[in-house]
C-alpha cells in the first residue's frame, strides 16, 4: 500500500462528502486506502455517507476523543508507506497527491510535506507555512506587528512572511489540515501526542520530526482548497482557550527555564486579550445588535414626540408615562417580531427589517384603543416614529455590512446566481436549489466544454462577465471542470461575489465566505421544511406559548387529565426546551434532529403502542418534516390535548 488517507470528521458531513469525491479522483492510479474516523457527530454523518462510499473504511467513536487521538486511531488501522492527515473541509486537486509522492521520492530527507492552501475564494492561507512558537514571535503576532509588516523576517516570523509563498521551502511547522508523513518517520516519532485535544498537535509533531533529523517541506507547486473555519468557529471563546492552551502545553513540553516562563506570561496575556476581543465581538453579534436597535427605536419615538408636541400639537402635553410604558412596549414588540422574522439570523435581508417594523407598528396601532386613557397618544407619533426608526436601523445595517459584521443577501427580482458547469451538472444544481428555501434565482450557465455555445459565456473568460452580469454568487461544478482549472480562474472573480462548489455526483453544495464563521451547505436534506430556522423558531414559540398557558391554568386541567402530574412535568419540560410537544413517532437518524417529544407526528403518545407498522410510521414522520407547517403542531396539541400527560 502506497498511501493511506486519514480524515477526522465532526459534524461536517456535506463538506466531507465533497472532500471524499475529490480525494477518490486524486487517488487514481495510486494504491491507496481512505479511513474516516467520526468523533461522535450529531449530524448523522455516517448514516449519510457510508452507503455511497462502500470502499472507504468508516470508524465511529461514541464520544469526541479529540483530533490527535482520532488521528492515531486512524493511523493504527492504516497500512500505507505514507499517511496523509487531511481535514474534511478540503477539496483536493486531481494532481496534488501524485505531486507529493513524487517529491518524497526525490527528497529522501523529507519527513513530512504540507502544501499551499487556499480558502474558498482562492486567497492564500498564511498558516500553510509557520515557524515554531517563541515568546518574541508570539508577541509580534499578538500585538499586530506581523500584520503591519507581513514580509518581515523578524515581525512576521510566525507565518514565515519573509519566505516566498510561491516556491518550495523548508519550514518549521506544517498545518494539520494537510500533512503527509512517511510511515517510518511516524513510527520513529510516535505519531501525534494525545495530550493535545485540538490545536498544537501539528506543531508538536512537526517539532519532533525535525528533532528526529528529517525536514518539513512546504510545497508551493501544488495546492488544496481549505474551507478554513468549518471544523471550528474561530471567533469563539472556546477556540481562544483551546488554541492558547495548546501553545502552553507545547512550550511546557519542549522549552524549559526562563524561556518557558516568559512564554507562559505572553500566553496568559494573549488569552485575556483575545478572550476580551471575542467577548466584545460575540456581544455585538448576538446581544449588542438588538440592544443598539432598541436604543435607536426609543430615540426615534422620543425625538418624534418632542417634535410633535413642539411643532405639530403644541396644545397637547403627553404624560411622562408615555415614555416609560408605551415606547418600551413598542420596542419590545419590535425585537420579538424581529427575532421571529429572522432579522438576527446569519444573513441580513432588508425585507425582514421592513416586516418587523410593519408588524410591530400595526399591532401597536390596532391595540391603541386598549391603552388606558392616560397613555393614549397621537397615531402620528407611532407612524413617524416607526419611519425614523426604519431610516436609522437601515443606516446601521449599511454600516455593519460595509464593515463586514453582517452579510446581506440580495433580494432583488433579478437573477443573481451563475452556475459554471456542463448542462447535466447545471440540472443537478437546479435540483438542489429547487429543494431549498433559498430565494436566489439562477441567472444562467457558464459553459465548460469546448465548443459549447449554449452558455452565457466560457469559464476561460468568466471575469469578463462582470460587472454586466448582476451575479452575487457563483457555483463551480467540479466534474468536467477540474479543481486545478477552477483555481486558475478564481482570481477573476470579484471579491464581493460568493463562491460555492458542487462535486459532480454529490448531493450537496458547499462554500464558506469567511474563515471566522461557519460555512453554508445546501443539500437535498434542505427540502425538509422543519429544518429552516424560521420554522424552528415558530415551533419553539408554539411549544413555549402553549406550555406557559397550560401552567397558568393548571388547576383547570386537573379535571380533564388523569395523569395530571405527568402533564405538569411535560409542561415544564417543554417550556424549558427539554422536550417538544410534537415529534417523531419512531426513531429515524435520516430525518432532521428534534427534541424528545410528548406525542408523535400522528398524535399518539410515546407511552402507548403505535397502531401502525414501523414502515408506515416512518412515512408519516417523513411527511411531517418535509411538509411541516407550524399550525399542524397547534392542531395536534388541541386535538390530542387529553394525551399530553403521556
Amino acid at each position: 500500500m502506497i498511501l493511506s488517507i486519514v480524515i477526522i470528521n465532526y459534524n461536517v458531513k456535506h463538506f466531507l462528502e465533497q472532500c471524499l469525491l475529490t480525494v477518490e479522483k486524486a487517488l487514481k492510479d495510486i494504491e491507496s486506502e481512505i479511513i474516516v474516523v467520526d468523533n461522535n457527530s450529531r449530524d448523522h454523518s455516517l448514516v449519510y455517507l457510508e452507503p455511497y462510499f462502500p470502499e472507504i473504511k468508516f470508524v465511529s467513536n461514541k464520544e469526541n476523543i479529540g483530533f490527535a487521538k482520532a488521528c492515531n486511531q486512524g493511523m493504527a488501522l492504516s497500512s500505507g508507506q505514507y499517511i496523509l492527515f487531511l481535514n474534511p473541509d478540503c477539496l483536493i486537486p486531481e494532481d496534488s497527491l501524485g505531486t507529493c509522492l513524487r517529491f518524497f521520492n526525490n527528497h529522501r530527507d523529507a519527513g513530512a510535506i504540507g502544501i499551499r492552501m487556499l480558502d474558498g475564494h482562492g486567497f492564500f492561507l498564511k498558516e500553510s507555512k509557520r515557524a515554531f512558537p517563541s515568546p518574541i514571535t508570539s508577541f509580534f503576532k499578538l500585538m499586530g506587528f506581523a500584520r503591519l509588516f507581513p514580509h518581515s523576517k523578524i515581525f512576521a516570523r510566525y507565518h514565515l512572511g519573509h519566505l516566498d509563498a510561491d516556491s518550495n521551502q523548508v519550514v518549521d511547522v506544517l498545518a494539520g489540515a494537510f500533512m503527509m508523513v512517511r510511515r517510518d518517520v511516524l513510527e520513529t516519532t510516535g505519531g501525534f501526542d494525545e495530550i493535545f485535544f485540538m490545536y498544537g498537535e501539528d506543531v508538536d509533531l512537526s517539532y519532533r520530526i525535525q528533532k528526529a533529523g528529517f525536514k518539513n517541506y512546504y510545497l508551493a507547486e501544488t495546492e488544496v482548497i481549505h474551507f478554513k473555519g468549518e471544523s471550528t468557529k474561530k471567533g469563539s471563546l472556546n477556540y481562544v482557550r483551546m488554541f492558547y492552551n495548546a501553545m502552553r502545553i507545547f512550550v511546557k513540553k519542549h522549552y524549559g527555564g526562563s524561556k518557558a516562563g516568559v512564554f507562559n506570561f505572553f500566553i496568559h496575556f494573549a488569552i485575556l486579550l483575545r478572550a476580551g476581543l471575542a467577548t466584545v465581538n460575540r456581544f455585538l453579534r448576538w446581544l449588542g445588535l438588538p440592544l443598539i436597535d432598541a436604543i435607536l427605536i426609543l430615540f426615534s419615538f422620543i425625538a418624534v414626540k418632542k417634535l410633535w408636541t413642539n411643532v405639530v400639537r403644541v396644545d397637547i402635553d403627553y404624560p411622562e408615562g408615555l415614555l416609560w410604558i408605551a415606547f418600551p412596549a413598542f420596542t419590545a414588540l419590535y425585537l420579538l417580531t424581529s427575532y421571529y422574522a429572522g432579522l438576527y439570523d446569519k444573513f441580513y435581508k432588508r425585507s425582514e427589517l421592513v416586516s418587523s417594523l410593519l408588524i410591530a407598528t400595526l399591532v401597536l396601532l390596532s391595540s391603541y384603543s386598549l391603552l388606558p386613557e392616560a397613555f393614549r397618544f397621537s397615531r402620528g407619533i407611532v407612524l413617524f416614529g416607526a419611519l425614523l426608526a426604519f431610516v436609522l436601523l437601515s443606516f446601521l445595517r449599511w454600516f455593519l455590512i460595509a464593515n463586514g459584521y453582517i452579510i446581506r443577501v440580495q433580494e432583488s427580482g433579478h437573477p443573481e446566481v451563475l452556475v459554471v458547469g456542463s448542462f447535466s451538472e447545471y440540472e443537478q444544481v437546479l435540483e438542489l436549489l429547487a429543494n431549498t428555501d433559498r430565494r436566489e434565482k439562477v441567472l444562467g450557465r457558464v459553459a465548460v466544454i469546448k465548443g459549447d455555445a449554449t452558455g452565457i459565456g466560457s469559464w476561460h473568460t468568466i471575469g469578463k462577465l462582470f460587472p454586466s452580469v448582476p451575479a452575487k454568487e457563483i457555483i463551480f461544478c467540479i466534474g468536467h471542470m477540474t479543481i486545478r482549472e477552477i483555481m486558475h480562474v478564481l482570481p477573476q472573480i470579484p471579491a464581493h461575489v460568493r463562491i460555492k462548489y458542487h462535486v459532480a455526483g454529490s448531493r450537496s453544495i458547499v462554500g464558506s465566505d469567511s474563515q471566522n464563521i461557519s460555512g453554508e451547505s445546501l443539500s437535498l436534506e434542505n427540502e425538509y421544511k422543519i429544518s429552516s430556522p424560521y420554522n424552528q423558531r415558530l415551533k419553539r414559540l408554539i411549544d413555549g406559548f402553549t406550555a406557559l398557558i397550560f401552567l397558568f391554568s393548571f388547576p383547570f386541567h386537573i379535571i380533564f387529565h388523569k395523569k395530571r402530574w405527568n402533564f405538569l412535568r411535560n409542561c415544564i419540560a417543554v417550556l424549558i426546551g427539554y422536550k417538544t410537544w410534537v415529534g417523531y413517532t419512531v426513531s429515524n437518524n435520516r430525518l432532521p434532529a428534534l427534541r424528545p417529544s410528548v406525542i408523535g407526528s400522528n398524535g399518539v403518545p410515546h407511552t402507548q403502542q403505535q397502531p401502525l407498522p414501523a414502515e408506515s410510521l416512518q412515512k408519516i414522520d417523513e411527511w411531517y418534516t418535509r411538509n411541516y407547517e407550524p399550525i399542524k403542531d397547534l392542531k395536534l396539541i388541541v386535538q390530542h390535548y387529553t394525551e399530553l400527560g403521556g
Side-chain angles (χ1 to χ4, degrees), residues 106-160:
N106 296 329
H107 297 77
R108 302 306 303 173
D109 60 343
I113 288 175
I115 63 178
R116 179 184 175 92
M117 296 192 299
L118 308 177
D119 67 11
H121 216 286
F123 295 117
F124 176 69
L125 293 173
K126 295 184 294 183
E127 58 269 30
S128 301
K129 51 182 179 62
R130 286 176 291 166
F132 291 126
S134 68
I136 192 66
T137 299
S138 301
F139 176 76
F140 287 147
K141 179 181 184 296
L142 175 67
M143 301 308 294
F145 290 106
R147 182 175 297 180
L148 292 174
F149 307 100
H151 303 296
S152 170
K153 186 175 182 178
I154 298 175
F155 296 121
R157 179 164 178 76
Y158 184 83
H159 286 124
L160 300 175

Side-chain angles (χ1 to χ4, degrees), residues 459-478:
W459 72 270
H460 295 91
T461 56
I462 191 172
K464 294 182 179 179
L465 295 175
F466 302 95
S468 58
V469 176
K472 299 298 186 297
E473 180 174 294
I474 289 181
I475 300 175
F476 281 105
C477 297
I478 302 171

Side-chain angles (χ1 to χ4, degrees), residues 347-576:
F347 300 108
Y348 164 67
K349 302 182 182 71
R350 182 185 292 270
S351 63
E352 292 165 352
L353 176 61
V354 175
S355 61
S356 300
L357 278 170
L358 183 61
I359 292 172
T361 303
L362 291 175
V363 171
L364 188 63
L365 287 173
S366 62
S367 60
Y368 176 82
S369 59
L370 301 177
L371 292 173
E373 187 70 30
F375 299 123
R376 292 184 185 180
F377 52 95
S378 173
R379 291 181 177 88
I381 295 178
V382 177
L383 293 174
F384 288 106
L387 181 62
L388 178 59
F390 174 75
V391 172
L392 294 178
L393 293 176
S394 296
F395 178 79
L396 173 64
R397 294 314 190 271
W398 169 83
F399 175 80
L400 294 175
I401 291 169
N403 289 276
Y405 284 100
I406 58 176
I407 300 172
R408 179 181 179 183
V409 175
Q410 299 293 326
E411 298 180 282
S412 66
H414 302 289
E416 54 179 318
V417 178
L418 279 179
V419 178
V420 185
S422 67
F423 185 77
S424 61
E425 293 167 343
Y426 175 70
E427 289 187 320
Q428 292 174 17
V429 170
L430 288 182
E431 181 182 357
L432 288 168
L433 293 179
N435 287 325
T436 69
D437 58 359
R438 292 162 58 87
R439 296 190 177 98
E440 290 90 347
K441 297 180 181 179
V442 176
L443 175 62
R445 180 177 65 88
V446 177
V448 297
I449 300 175
K450 188 176 182 181
D452 183 359
T454 61
I456 64 173
S458 172
W459 72 270
H460 295 91
T461 56
I462 191 172
K464 294 182 179 179
L465 295 175
F466 302 95
S468 58
V469 176
K472 299 298 186 297
E473 180 174 294
I474 289 181
I475 300 175
F476 281 105
C477 297
I478 302 171
H480 283 86
M481 191 176 185
T482 67
I483 297 178
R484 182 67 59 201
E485 290 171 336
I486 292 174
M487 288 177 168
H488 178 73
V489 299
L490 282 178
Q492 299 182 33
I493 310 301
H496 70 276
V497 176
R498 298 164 61 189
I499 298 177
K500 288 186 172 60
Y501 300 85
H502 168 67
V503 181
S506 70
R507 297 157 289 160
S508 54
I509 300 170
V510 301
S512 180
D513 300 300
S514 170
Q515 63 181 357
N516 295 320
I517 62 174
S518 61
E520 183 182 10
S521 62
L522 302 172
S523 74
L524 292 175
E525 291 183 321
N526 293 106
E527 64 184 316
Y528 295 118
K529 293 176 66 176
I530 203 168
S531 297
S532 75
Y534 177 75
N535 281 331
Q536 288 283 334
R537 283 193 295 268
L538 288 183
K539 183 176 178 61
R540 182 72 192 104
L541 177 63
I542 290 173
D543 280 345
F545 183 71
T546 54
L548 197 61
I549 291 177
F550 289 153
L551 285 173
F552 276 123
S553 57
F554 181 70
F556 170 80
H557 301 292
I558 293 177
I559 303 173
F560 298 97
H561 274 281
K562 294 181 180 179
K563 298 180 179 180
R564 55 188 66 89
W565 302 117
N566 282 343
F567 176 66
L568 177 62
R569 281 191 289 268
N570 285 338
C571 288
I572 295 173
V574 170
L575 182 63
I576 64 178

